[in-house]
Amino acid sequence: MIEIKNLVKKFGPFTAVDGVSFSVQRGEVLGFLGPNGAGKSTLISILLGTLEPDSGAVKLGRMSGASSRARSAVSTGAATSWCVVTPGSQPCACR
């Protein structure tokens, strides 16, 4: 289970993640869609424990805290990948 409550992350005057809250139960699938600069990568980095939020709470399973999130993410096989998709393109090999 993933629980996010009132998550905020700022980079100087820029707010990348602004009060995000959601939960994902076991067996559910979640995707993040949005324009460049919407905070998707920042949110995933916080979930994986590679970036600390300025405020709010993150819980993966029974674990909270960045080091615990990182261990939990590794144990579940979580990883990031980047894939460029353009209209009419064939499925790509993500990197």
Side-chain angles (χ1 to χ4, degrees), residues 11-68:
F11 297 98
F14 179 74
T15 302
V17 177
D18 191 10
V20 173
S21 296
F22 64 88
S23 64
V24 182
Q25 301 302 315
R26 185 180 186 105
E28 290 182 320
V29 177
L30 173 72
F32 296 109
L33 298 174
N36 290 346
K40 303 175 301 292
S41 298
T42 301
L43 183 56
I44 290 174
S45 294
I46 293 170
L47 283 170
L48 294 177
T50 60
L51 191 61
E52 276 295 315
D54 293 322
S55 63
V58 178
K59 187 175 177 185
L60 291 179
R62 292 183 215 102
M63 298 181 181
S64 59
S67 62
S68 296

Side-chain angles (χ1 to χ4, degrees), residues 71-83:
R71 284 193 304 274
S72 179
V74 167
S75 70
T76 61
T80 59
S81 65
W82 303 101
C83 190

